[in-house]
Amino acid sequence: MAQQHEQTRTETDAFGPIEVPADKYWGAQTQRSLQNFRINQPHDRMPPSLIRAWGILKGAAAHVNVEHKVLDPRLGEAIQKAAAEVASLDLIDHFPLVVWQTGSGTQTNMNSNEVISNRANEILGSQLGTKSPVHPNDHVNLSGSSNDGMATAMHISAVLDVEDLVLPALKSLRSAMEKKTKQFDHIIKIGRTHLQDAVPLSLGQEFSGFAKQLEYGQGRVEQALEGLRSLAMGGTATGSGLNTYEGFHAAFAKRVSEVTGKHFVAAENLFEAISANDAIVHASGALNTLACSLFKIAQDIRFEGCGPRCGLGELVLPENEPGSSFMPGKVNPTQCESMTMICAKVIGNHTAITIGGLSGQFQLNAFKPLLISDFLHSVRLLSDGMRSFEVNLLEGLQADEKRIKYLLDQSLMLVTCLSGTIGYDVASKVAKNAHKKGTTLRESAIELNALSGEKFDELVRPELMIAPSKLPGAA
């Protein structure tokens, strides 16, 4: 059978003519990048959230340029219409480039310029590839460059995804954890340190620690958001603002705020905003901290639910799906395993982001595509993971109070409450004697004449061990 060839059209750039698919809005520079960087296509294409941000950026720039009378209103209106289609992701199939390209994201900027130019010209009745009347560089790229544009698109996409995805999921999970704290408050269990028996606490107290971790993580994320609100647009190539005009920088940030409904400001120092990406590194650090918290929470719940008969078995995890193709009836802590794998990936992403953040040279950080793709990946993983963990695990999580009571009664560390009465050394002898002979603490205390049975029963009460005692005479 003869090979089918797709129809093409000829577009040109500084390197000359090149054939591009006839049904695509991209042009020569996009096609060259597509050919020169055949790296893990299509899996590692630029994230849709970033493409959306480019659409917002180009539309806002055109709006400001028209307002300041440096762009023909007719062309500006067509650019804004095309840019809105990009921002809505209706044209996502026309953005084929992978992350692994030039470190400034120049090819993706040109991809945006070409798609918007061709679509705007189509709106105005011209054929694709003509670059007239809307030119990708002269009009769509007006008052910007790849360097300040990519830095700006990174921050727009980061703020939108963190505010719309991470924070709602995190707040919801935190609220669900606080409900479990109240639900479990009456259940007293044995504590564990160093994976060994320790003094008691309530299950609610344990879950209050989880809730506090999430509260702290929320605060870190909200704090990091503030640095992401500053936009570099208007600094052009190095931060000097060459080929822009007074007022563009601030007007652009204001317009993006109006379009997105989010708060953005003009970067105070455009040289920093382009040469470094510390705000992304800082925000990734907040996600990294959150991932550490979620890993700890998921792992603790997983361990305390291990069993159902031959492990700790204190928590009863929801049974969502069969756990084994080989062992009938087996059910596994799949949500905990999913969450811990997600956290491991987020921590790995942060390592790459850290390396990317420290690798800028002079007036440009040239790791921008890596930085934003890994950041947005972490955002999506954590957002989806927290939603899944809340709905499929936390909501249905129950405590096996009978098992918890049994393990509490078996613990030798209840002897700790006797230290103030019989002293540390004698209390230690009571515990060690009980462990050696397989007796209860009460039996051991009586055998060693440390306490009478009645006095032991008066003092060794787990419900009194989960909070500080009151000082004599205290109300």
Side-chain angles (χ1 to χ4, degrees), residues 163-183:
E163 286 200 354
D164 293 344
L165 299 178
V166 170
L167 284 177
L170 176 52
K171 291 175 181 178
S172 182
L173 180 60
R174 176 185 165 191
S175 176
M177 195 69 74
E178 290 169 345
K179 290 179 181 178
K180 285 296 175 184
T181 296
K182 295 177 181 178
Q183 178 185 336

Side-chain angles (χ1 to χ4, degrees), residues 30-193:
T30 304
Q31 188 65 30
R32 293 192 196 283
S33 180
L34 190 57
Q35 294 176 0
N36 291 336
F37 298 97
R38 298 183 183 274
I39 303 172
N40 203 28
Q41 278 276 13
H43 308 288
D44 283 359
R45 288 182 177 177
M46 283 291 198
S49 295
L50 184 68
I51 303 305
R52 175 178 58 163
W54 276 109
I56 293 169
L57 182 158
K58 296 298 181 181
H63 176 88
V64 174
N65 286 330
V66 170
E67 275 195 335
H68 286 78
K69 298 181 172 32
V70 298
L71 178 63
D72 184 302
R74 176 170 167 266
L75 305 188
E77 182 180 353
I79 290 172
Q80 291 178 72
K81 286 182 179 179
E85 293 181 18
V86 171
S88 70
L89 298 182
D90 288 345
L91 303 181
I92 190 65
D93 291 341
H94 300 268
F95 289 84
L97 302 187
V98 293
V99 171
W100 319 114
Q101 54 172 276
T102 185
S104 61
T106 297
Q107 279 88 30
T108 291
N109 179 33
M110 279 308 304
N111 190 179
S112 302
N113 291 336
E114 291 175 339
V115 167
I116 293 171
S117 170
N118 273 318
R119 177 64 184 124
N121 285 329
E122 187 177 60
I123 291 171
L124 294 173
S126 297
Q127 290 185 341
L128 303 187
T130 61
K131 298 186 182 179
S132 179
V134 177
H135 191 281
N137 296 80
D138 296 337
H139 302 124
V140 183
N141 204 53
L142 183 62
S143 302
S145 78
S146 296
N147 295 353
D148 64 344
M150 186 64 173
T152 298
M154 290 167 68
H155 280 207
I156 293 173
S157 61
V159 168
L160 293 179
D161 276 11
V162 169
E163 286 200 354
D164 293 344
L165 299 178
V166 170
L167 284 177
L170 176 52
K171 291 175 181 178
S172 182
L173 180 60
R174 176 185 165 191
S175 176
M177 195 69 74
E178 290 169 345
K179 290 179 181 178
K180 285 296 175 184
T181 296
K182 295 177 181 178
Q183 178 185 336
F184 293 153
D185 193 52
H186 69 285
I187 303 172
I188 301 172
K189 68 183 290 292
I190 196 62
R192 297 180 181 87
T193 59

Side-chain angles (χ1 to χ4, degrees), residues 187-444:
I187 303 172
I188 301 172
K189 68 183 290 292
I190 196 62
R192 297 180 181 87
T193 59
H194 303 273
L195 296 181
Q196 305 295 308
D197 299 345
V199 295
L201 75 165
S202 76
L203 186 59
Q205 288 173 327
E206 182 175 48
F207 272 69
S208 76
F210 297 158
K212 188 64 179 180
Q213 283 185 279
L214 296 177
E215 178 187 343
Y216 179 69
Q218 180 182 329
R220 282 288 309 275
V221 172
E222 290 173 341
Q223 179 193 44
L225 260 177
E226 296 312 304
L228 295 172
R229 299 187 191 281
S230 64
L231 303 182
M233 197 66 177
T236 57
T238 64
S240 66
L242 177 64
N243 287 348
T244 60
Y245 48 87
E246 292 184 1
F248 174 81
H249 185 34
F252 174 85
K254 179 182 178 182
R255 180 59 181 171
V256 172
S257 298
E258 292 171 350
V259 171
T260 61
K262 310 294 185 184
H263 178 57
F264 289 98
V265 297
E268 292 183 6
N269 189 301
L270 293 172
F271 301 98
E272 181 275 336
I274 296 172
S275 66
N277 292 112
D278 293 348
I280 292 288
V281 178
H282 177 57
S284 177
L287 299 184
N288 187 67
T289 301
L290 177 58
C292 291
S293 297
L294 291 168
F295 193 108
K296 164 72 162 58
I297 293 167
Q299 195 77 304
D300 281 358
I301 291 175
R302 178 189 188 189
F303 284 152
E304 291 181 12
C306 70
R309 294 191 175 182
C310 302
L312 296 180
E314 294 181 332
L315 296 177
V316 182
L317 278 59
E319 298 183 352
N320 296 325
E321 62 271 314
S324 174
S325 63
F326 180 71
M327 292 172 278
K330 194 173 191 299
V331 179
N332 294 327
T334 52
Q335 289 296 319
C336 294
E337 291 169 357
S338 174
M339 177 59 79
T340 51
M341 286 190 289
I342 284 170
C343 293
K345 182 60 177 174
V346 170
I347 292 166
N349 284 348
H350 182 58
T351 299
I353 289 170
T354 301
I355 294 170
L358 60 84
S359 296
Q361 301 90 26
F362 304 117
Q363 278 64 64
L364 177 69
N365 178 291
F367 273 70
K368 286 177 166 54
L370 169 70
L371 288 166
I372 191 58
S373 64
D374 277 7
F375 181 83
L376 294 176
H377 187 213
S378 293
V379 164
R380 185 60 185 265
L381 285 175
L382 287 172
S383 303
D384 291 350
M386 286 188 289
R387 292 287 190 194
S388 180
F389 192 79
E390 177 187 341
V391 172
N392 297 308
L393 183 133
L394 196 57
E395 287 183 359
L397 185 68
Q398 299 296 324
D400 187 334
E401 297 190 44
K402 182 178 179 181
R403 175 67 175 171
I404 289 173
K405 179 69 166 58
Y406 171 78
L407 292 175
L408 177 67
D409 291 341
Q410 295 299 308
S411 175
L412 300 176
M413 289 303 99
L414 298 180
V415 78
T416 304
C417 70
L418 298 178
S419 294
T421 302
I422 62 178
Y424 180 93
D425 290 339
V426 175
S428 180
K429 289 179 181 179
V430 170
K432 288 182 177 295
N433 181 62
H435 183 55
K436 180 180 179 180
K437 295 182 178 180
T439 62
T440 65
L441 283 175
R442 188 178 191 276
E443 292 168 341
S444 179

